[in-house]
Amino acid sequence: MKIFTRRRQSEILPQAMYPGDPKRVLILMSNTGGGHRAAAEAIEEALIHLYSDTVSVTVVDAWRNHVAWPVSKFGNSYAWLVNDALWLWKGIWLLENRPKAVKTSIKTFYPLVAPGFLKLFKSQKPDVIVSVIIGDTAHIVKG
């Protein structure tokens, strides 16, 4: 499985222009109320518009449906966090904006996230994985 970052369309889906099986694109999002679903759906719509029947796109709520508790419940707190506890959200953001804290966070949550992600990837067999949530990327790259 290849992980792509900031590549031109022709590099990401070069075989989409040729006959054969549609390229499978898996888009990871979390329905937190923060626009992640809208971003994922916009990417899905753009890919289908650009590549029509040469691409198969699946959008999944990876955090809610494919990781272990308590991580699977984090999305439920997002709206409260950004609307009613902005001070706490700011503190988390400032903490997570430090490399050492990010490494610690990944090390802590990886055992709860990785098995579900790997199971999802094995079942979907994507050619390309797109994430609209930065936390996904860290766990995908580590795995």
Side-chain angles (χ1 to χ4, degrees):
M1 180 178 315
K2 296 180 182 175
I3 298 174
F4 297 98
T5 56
R6 295 187 184 180
R7 305 259 176 123
R8 286 177 278 158
Q9 288 175 349
S10 60
E11 292 177 34
I12 295 174
L13 296 172
Q15 296 173 7
M17 298 175 212
Y18 303 103
D21 294 335
K23 295 299 163 198
R24 294 176 306 273
V25 178
L26 178 62
I27 301 177
L28 308 177
M29 52 74 80
S30 185
N31 197 20
T32 62
H36 302 109
R37 176 179 292 282
E41 289 173 349
I43 294 167
E44 175 187 32
E45 186 177 318
L47 287 170
I48 291 170
H49 174 76
L50 290 169
Y51 299 106
S52 60
D53 55 353
T54 61
V55 65
S56 170
V57 182
T58 304
V59 177
V60 298
D61 189 335
W63 289 93
R64 184 168 294 179
N65 300 320
H66 298 281
V67 299
W69 181 91
V71 181
S72 61
K73 302 300 179 197
F74 286 177
N76 297 340
S77 304
Y78 187 78
W80 171 80
L81 202 56
V82 298
N83 293 319
D84 299 325
L86 198 53
W87 62 271
L88 181 56
W89 178 238
K90 180 180 178 182
I92 292 169
W93 188 88
L94 289 171
L95 179 67
E96 288 291 317
N97 203 24
R98 297 181 4 229
K100 188 173 181 177
V102 172
K103 287 180 184 178
T104 301
S105 177
I106 291 170
K107 190 181 289 188
T108 302
F109 291 109
Y110 186 78
L112 300 171
V113 174
F117 275 15
L118 292 174
K119 185 177 177 182
L120 173 64
F121 300 158
K122 286 179 181 177
S123 71
Q124 294 291 321
K125 296 179 177 37
D127 296 302
V128 177
I129 300 170
V130 177
S131 175
V132 297
I133 300 179
I134 191 69
D136 294 347
T137 307
H139 292 290
I140 293 167
V141 171
K142 186 176 183 326

